[in-house]
Amino acid sequence: MTERSGVTRPETPETDEQPAVRKPAATAPAVAAEPAGVATPDAAPDRQGYENLDRAIQAMNARITHGISPYAAQAAWEDWAKHLAIAPGRQMELAELAAENSRKLMLGLLGAGEGFQPRKGDRRFNHEGWNTPPFSWWKQGYLATEDWWREATREMRGMRHKSAERVAFQAKQVLDTLAPSNYPFTNPEVIEKTVATGGQNLVAGGRKLADDVARDLAGEHRPLPKEFVVGQNIACTPGKVVFRNELMELIQYTPTTKKVHREPILIVPAWIMKYYILDLSPSNSVIRYLVENGFTVFCISWINPDASLSEMTLDDYRANGVMKALDAVSAIVPGRRIHSCGYCLGGTMLAIAAAAMARDGDERLASVTLLAAQTDFSEAGEITIFLDDSQVAYLEDMMQDQGYLDQDQMAGAFQALRSEDLVWGRAINRYLLDKDEKPFDISAWNADATRMPYRMHSQYLRWLFLENRLSGGRFEVGGDVIALPDIDTPMFVLGTETDHIAPWKSVYKLALFNGAEQTFVLTSGGHNAGIVSEPGHRGRHYRVGRRKGPERYVAPDSWVAGHAPQEGSWWPVWLEFLMEKTTPGDVSPPRMGAASKGLKPISDAPGTYVFQQ
């Protein structure tokens, strides 16, 4: 029997068949007793009914706005406008900037000055046609407007920081929409292509647009590129599913060496996406790399939940995910400690599990590796633009109605953070230039998204992002708080330089809350590409620092200044760390599963949950 939120329930049986999903039990609303001698109306107000009505209306509205709260947006603009209205100095500053930008714009149009130049990394105006009239005029006018609004939405004294971020973000979304590069008659590259093809680029792009709109209206997801097939050329490292419950499958990978290291590795991926970011093509698979270097590797593959799992909690992912997987690994490789590795949200959950294990005296972990995983959420990156009490409540109403957060609703938020590339850039190429992106394994994985259960995602957003309970010593497991300082297991922590989901400075802050032996690596790349950084990958570099125990805290920028970049992949550095924490002396590989302990191999890797849409 296991306990969750104080309720005892039986364990899911380990069978060869996928278990039936658990549906939340219906409960009748509690009725308060009426105090004696007090007259009450015939029909007492049904407060819960009124609240349910409000939430149902909010859920319908949220479907239209893809979960973005218009009330939170309105409050941010009101905050900005009110503070601007009582700041005459700021008004004068913006008026002077408008005059200066107008002067600079006119000089640029007349060829008497340089005018405005696109920001570094802005590729919208790279085509040479943007340097000739009338396209250069439109470009200059747009860049002048963009420059003014960037300054106008800067935070003012007394204004809420969250409002400033939100106003700046929304202004940028409007400006990105109005960019002259987005329209066929104001984009010289599109006009050039249209003339060269006799308009066939627009005809082909129109067909693609109609097909994409039809799919959206039908609720269908775009299929993965035909060049990549899960189980054949991605997620194709050989292995067996050796355990399955209602939440996850555990894959044990087939050894490729005659001897293996004593301690196995358990990988805990994020459940926001599917696990195989760590097992992409054979040439860049983290899992295959570990197997080929003599490790016995286990990896969790999470279910893609539907509405029947809406009440699955955040602690279920710990108890029935991480801990069940650890129990299975311990049964297959008994008497040995286990290296653990968590990526993104999986790393956050691994840190929670490790802290609870430390509190309870469970010493099974040989090391803890956190890849682009946050344990403190006070500076959690650009995604927090979407998160406050109003926004989360709005999102909760939609998730409660659906039972989950849909993958498209979640993906839209991440795309909005890079709208000029991920939304408009792709639209221009696909619909106006008839140029589809070259398929890559990582883009195929990125399109293979998952849903998030209502209850779990609500707790994740509130307890971690809004309340920051984990680093604050207020996160409870089993009715008692856990503390990151309790983890005394050696740790390997990785941040990526351009990560906008788990900013490396936020990842680095674990050093403030834990004094255990730690190796910190900062690698080039973003949240996903920085992880998929196999040896031989061109243009990669990293920095690495090591501490043997508690030391004085070094600020992130000072740490960077004190650690020179090194060319190459960070994977060998991690391998070196694992080897240092591994008991000397190799052994014969363990059998696949442990049939005598109820862990008979169920199916070949990558299992069945990874195929759920």
Side-chain angles (χ1 to χ4, degrees), residues 599-612:
L599 297 171
K600 180 181 177 181
I602 299 171
S603 67
D604 290 333
T608 58
Y609 286 179
V610 73
F611 292 104
Q612 293 174 331

Side-chain angles (χ1 to χ4, degrees), residues 387 392 395 457-467:
L387 299 177
V392 171
L395 198 61
H457 201 53
S458 172
Q459 293 172 344
Y460 171 55
L461 295 178
R462 287 196 175 276
W463 295 354
L464 296 177
F465 278 94
L466 294 187
E467 301 173 12

Side-chain angles (χ1 to χ4, degrees), residues 263-276:
E263 284 82 12
I265 298 177
L266 171 63
I267 296 176
V268 183
W271 53 89
I272 291 179
M273 302 290 287
K274 294 184 178 176
Y275 82 92
Y276 63 90

Side-chain angles (χ1 to χ4, degrees), residues 323-393:
M323 300 312 297
K324 287 292 186 183
L326 280 170
D327 292 343
V329 175
S330 295
I332 295 170
V333 191
R336 301 179 196 172
R337 303 179 79 192
I338 301 166
H339 294 296
S340 58
C341 170
Y343 168 59
C344 185
L345 176 53
T348 303
M349 180 52 68
L350 176 59
I352 292 170
M357 293 171 70
R359 179 198 64 188
D360 298 338
D362 188 337
E363 299 181 345
R364 283 181 289 173
L365 297 182
S367 69
V368 174
T369 294
L370 303 180
L371 306 179
Q374 300 179 94
T375 52
D376 176 82
F377 291 80
S378 59
E379 298 176 291
E382 296 176 4
I383 195 65
T384 58
I385 292 171
F386 300 103
L387 299 177
D388 58 18
D389 286 310
S390 173
Q391 175 60 64
V392 171

